């Protein structure tokens, strides 16, 4: 990252001025993409701003974001960056580990996401998806987002934790609420564990999750289950294994990542397919070529579904900003980033830059087709799962889950969405539609089809 000048000579980035303490917080919550565009246009790819009470270096565009994600001189760390936002709630999860420790934990966790493991998860997901979607009741204005959120929680319960018998429906509701409280604490302005505050609810949510998972570790270690929880309890490599505390920490993070990010992705896909019926029918015709319970190789044949998923991840990445902190003085595109500076890697803007993507606001899955591959114009043009050593470990699992859900929806239903509809997104946590994302859902005659 260091250029021809010394770090001492490199200037600090230009700074966006704003209200003390609050800075750009409200601008981000109102419309993060607009805020990023204005920041980029006014100050360039490297700048500074205040956010939730702290000074941040802001990286925008593929060149600046790519330098931090490549992290050639190991100047940026995940743990203190994410720790400033959600550290007390997802502490010691894989995303909040760095360098050698991160490498050791990731090496172990990779054994839980091999292709053979993914095949097993897919086999368990198929019937669970069919059972969950069968409970949907078609109607005009069907709220897709909460229905998908309930479905992905049920899937996480069965595939990640080993079945609904692990907990009662009421306890699973409390677990779901605890995840939401932990994620939403990231944008808390009052960052003290006080009753009634987001930060306080996040602390309470973390205790709920630790208690829930901690009660089951011993049983999972002693059993022979194929669910992710059981697999983590039994993983070992080169004489290393996870402690009980490690298992709980990783499960808290993985459940959040699988639950929320999958919901957002499938929700966006439903919206876009409802607004573009020609693509919905194109996918449905491809889906009819597969058996009721497709295996992993058969899911790989759904090339059009891959295109749609990639385009939806471009339009709305589930994690629009990645948090880092400089652990030593470094330089990005000629600007100095001092040690200790929190750094926001704002990947969302790069997905909408016309320099990279022709007509970037248009839904156009074919831009990822082999004869176009607009995502290849720059190594860091498309980064919904991050990049580098911290690239999302569960991205292939997320793809399998999303495909199985969409397949079942395409078989059972047709749906439409007003072409003028734009979801009112809430960015207090990971983005989600505040109106529940209404779709007009209609049942299909599967026999005649």
């Amino acid at each position: 990252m260091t250029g021809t000048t010394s770090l001492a000579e490199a200037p600090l980035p230009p700074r966006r001025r704003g209200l003390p303490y609050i800075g750009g917080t409200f601008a981000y919550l109102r419309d993060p993409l607009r805020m990023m565009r204005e920041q980029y246009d006014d100050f360039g790819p490297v700048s500074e701003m205040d956010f939730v009470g702290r000074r941040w270096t802001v990286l925008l565009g593929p060149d600046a974001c790519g330098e931090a994600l490549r992290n050639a001189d190991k100047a940026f760390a995940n743990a203190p960056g994410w720790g400033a936002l959600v550290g007390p709630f997802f502490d010691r999860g894989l995303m909040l580990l760095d360098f050698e420790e991160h490498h050791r934990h990731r090496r172990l966790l990779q054994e839980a996401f091999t292709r053979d493991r993914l095949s097993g998860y897919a086999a368990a997901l198929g019937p669970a998806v069919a059972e969950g979607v069968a409970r949907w009741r078609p109607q005009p204005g069907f709220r897709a987002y909460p229905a998908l959120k309930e479905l992905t929680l049920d899937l996480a319960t069965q595939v990640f934790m080993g079945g609904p018998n692990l907990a009662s429906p009421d306890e699973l509701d409390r677990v779901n609420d605890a995840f939401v409280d932990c994620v939403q604490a990231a944008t808390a302005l009052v960052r003290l564990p006080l009753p009634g505050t987001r930060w306080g609810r996040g602390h309470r949510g973390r205790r709920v999750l630790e208690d829930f998972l901690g009660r089951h570790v011993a049983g999972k270690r002693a059993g022979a289950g194929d669910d992710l929880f059981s697999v983590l309890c039994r993983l070992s490599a080169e004489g290393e294994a996870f402690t009980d505390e490690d298992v709980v920490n990783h499960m808290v993070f993985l459940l959040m990542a699988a639950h929320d990010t999958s919901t957002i992705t499938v929700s966006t896909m439903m919206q876009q397919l409802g607004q573009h019926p020609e693509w919905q029918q194109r996918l449905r015709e491809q889906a009819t070529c597969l058996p009721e319970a497709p295996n992993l190789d058969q899911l790989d044949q759904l090339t059009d579904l891959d295109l749609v998923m990639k385009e939806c991840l471009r339009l709305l990445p589930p994690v629009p900003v990645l948090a880092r902190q400089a652990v030593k003085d470094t330089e990005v595109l000629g600007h100095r980033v001092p040690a200790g500076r929190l750094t926001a890697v704002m990947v969302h803007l790069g997905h909408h830059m016309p320099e990279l993507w022709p007509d970037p606001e248009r839904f156009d899955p074919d831009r990822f087709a082999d004869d176009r591959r607009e995502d290849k114009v720059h190594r860091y043009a498309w980064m919904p799962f991050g990049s580098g050593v911290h690239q999302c470990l569960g991205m292939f699992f997320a793809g399998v889950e999303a495909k199985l859900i969409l397949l079942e929806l395409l078989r059972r239903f047709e749906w439409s969405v007003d072409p003028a509809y734009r979801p009112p997104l809430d960015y207090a946590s990971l983005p989600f539609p505040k109106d529940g994302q209404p779709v007009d859902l209609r049942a299909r005659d599967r026999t005649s089809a």
Side-chain angles (χ1 to χ4, degrees):
M1 296 179 192
T2 305
T4 55
T5 60
S6 70
L7 283 176
E9 296 172 326
L12 288 171
R15 181 184 173 193
R16 176 177 182 162
R17 302 289 175 175
L19 294 173
Y21 192 82
I22 293 172
T25 305
F26 290 151
Y28 178 87
L29 294 176
R30 281 194 302 268
D31 189 340
L33 189 54
R34 179 179 177 180
M35 184 277 285
M36 293 177 198
R37 283 175 174 146
E38 291 176 349
Q39 187 82 5
Y40 185 84
D41 291 343
D42 293 344
F43 302 103
V46 185
S47 59
E48 293 183 348
M49 67 181 294
D50 292 337
F51 185 78
V52 291
R54 302 282 295 275
R55 179 82 58 82
W56 291 72
T57 293
V58 174
L59 305 182
L60 292 158
D63 292 327
C65 291
E67 289 217 11
L69 296 176
R70 190 165 57 251
N71 203 15
D73 60 354
K74 295 185 175 168
F76 291 106
N78 265 36
W82 284 113
L85 297 175
V86 294
F89 320 117
F90 297 103
D91 188 35
R92 306 290 299 164
L94 187 65
M95 188 176 72
L96 279 82
L97 299 176
D98 286 297
F99 308 123
E100 179 55 33
E101 185 178 38
H102 171 263
H103 176 72
R104 286 190 291 104
H105 281 248
R106 188 179 178 97
R107 187 179 66 232
L108 264 178
L109 278 169
Q110 282 174 333
E111 295 302 311
F113 292 97
T114 62
R115 188 166 180 87
D116 285 345
R117 296 282 188 194
L118 287 175
S119 295
Y121 301 149
L125 277 168
V129 168
E131 181 182 348
V133 173
R135 294 195 291 267
W136 288 22
R137 294 294 173 259
Q139 58 183 289
F142 179 82
R143 296 303 190 258
Y145 183 81
L148 286 168
K149 193 168 179 63
E150 180 180 355
L151 174 62
T152 56
L153 179 62
D154 288 344
L155 297 178
T157 301
Q158 296 192 47
V159 179
F160 272 33
M161 294 189 285
N165 294 332
L166 203 66
S168 67
D170 287 344
E171 186 167 25
L172 288 178
D173 286 342
R174 288 194 294 274
V175 168
N176 186 35
D177 291 342
F179 278 120
V180 171
D181 288 341
C182 287
V183 175
Q184 290 192 344
T187 53
L189 290 176
V190 178
R191 304 177 83 78
L192 295 170
L194 301 175
T197 65
R198 280 187 177 175
W199 203 253
R201 289 193 293 271
H203 276 275
R204 182 184 62 198
R206 173 71 190 205
R207 291 194 296 271
V208 169
L209 297 175
E210 287 181 347
D211 176 68
F212 174 72
L213 294 166
R215 281 188 276 118
H216 297 286
V217 171
K220 292 291 184 180
R221 286 198 188 280
D226 292 326
D227 57 279
L228 182 67
F229 196 178
S230 297
V231 170
L232 292 190
C233 287
R234 300 196 305 269
L235 282 178
S236 63
E238 299 178 9
E240 292 192 66
F242 288 137
T243 66
D244 289 2
E245 186 178 6
D246 290 335
V247 170
V248 170
N249 289 333
H250 287 310
M251 281 296 297
V252 168
F253 171 69
L254 290 171
L255 282 167
M256 180 277 295
H259 181 202
D260 277 346
T261 59
S262 294
T263 303
I264 294 163
T265 301
V266 180
S267 173
T268 305
M269 294 171 76
M270 282 197 73
Q271 175 207 330
Q272 295 295 344
L273 292 175
Q275 292 176 316
H276 299 86
E278 71 282 4
W279 272 97
Q280 186 179 149
Q281 185 57 28
R282 183 168 160 179
L283 297 193
R284 187 172 287 111
E285 290 171 0
Q286 195 177 74
T288 58
C289 298
L290 295 188
E292 285 289 321
N295 59 35
L296 212 55
D297 290 334
Q298 291 163 334
L299 289 175
D300 288 341
Q301 298 171 18
L302 298 174
T303 52
D304 286 348
L305 187 49
D306 275 325
L307 299 180
V308 169
M309 190 185 313
K310 288 177 178 178
E311 176 70 338
C312 289
L313 287 167
R314 181 188 71 82
L315 290 168
L316 183 64
V319 185
V321 178
L322 307 174
R324 301 288 190 268
Q325 186 179 63
V327 292
K328 61 183 179 181
D329 288 351
T330 189
E331 182 184 318
V332 177
L333 302 185
H335 291 283
R336 179 161 54 92
V337 182
R341 177 61 52 80
L342 291 167
T343 303
V345 184
M346 296 191 167
V347 298
H348 193 179
L349 180 67
H351 289 193
H352 290 262
M353 295 177 73
E355 305 94 306
L356 304 173
W357 308 92
D359 198 2
E361 302 312 310
R362 183 165 66 95
F363 176 74
D364 181 12
D366 277 328
R367 67 173 82 241
F368 289 92
D370 288 340
D371 60 341
R372 289 174 62 182
R373 291 309 302 264
E374 292 175 11
D375 57 311
K376 295 297 186 182
V377 68
H378 192 292
R379 180 180 177 184
Y380 297 101
W382 186 75
M383 296 181 290
F385 300 105
S387 185
V389 297
H390 280 283
Q391 188 173 44
C392 176
L393 187 61
M395 61 183 180
F396 296 112
F397 174 88
V400 169
E401 182 179 33
K403 286 181 180 180
L404 287 169
I405 293 173
L406 256 295
L407 274 177
E408 192 64 26
L409 294 177
L410 290 164
R411 287 166 173 160
R412 287 183 177 272
F413 306 115
E414 296 176 354
W415 65 92
S416 57
V417 176
D418 183 346
Y421 171 77
R422 297 294 179 269
L425 294 171
D426 187 319
Y427 282 90
S429 58
L430 303 182
F432 71 92
K434 291 183 284 189
D435 62 353
Q437 193 195 302
V439 304
D440 291 335
L441 193 68
R442 303 176 298 277
R444 296 182 67 243
D445 184 344
R446 301 180 72 188
T447 304
S448 62

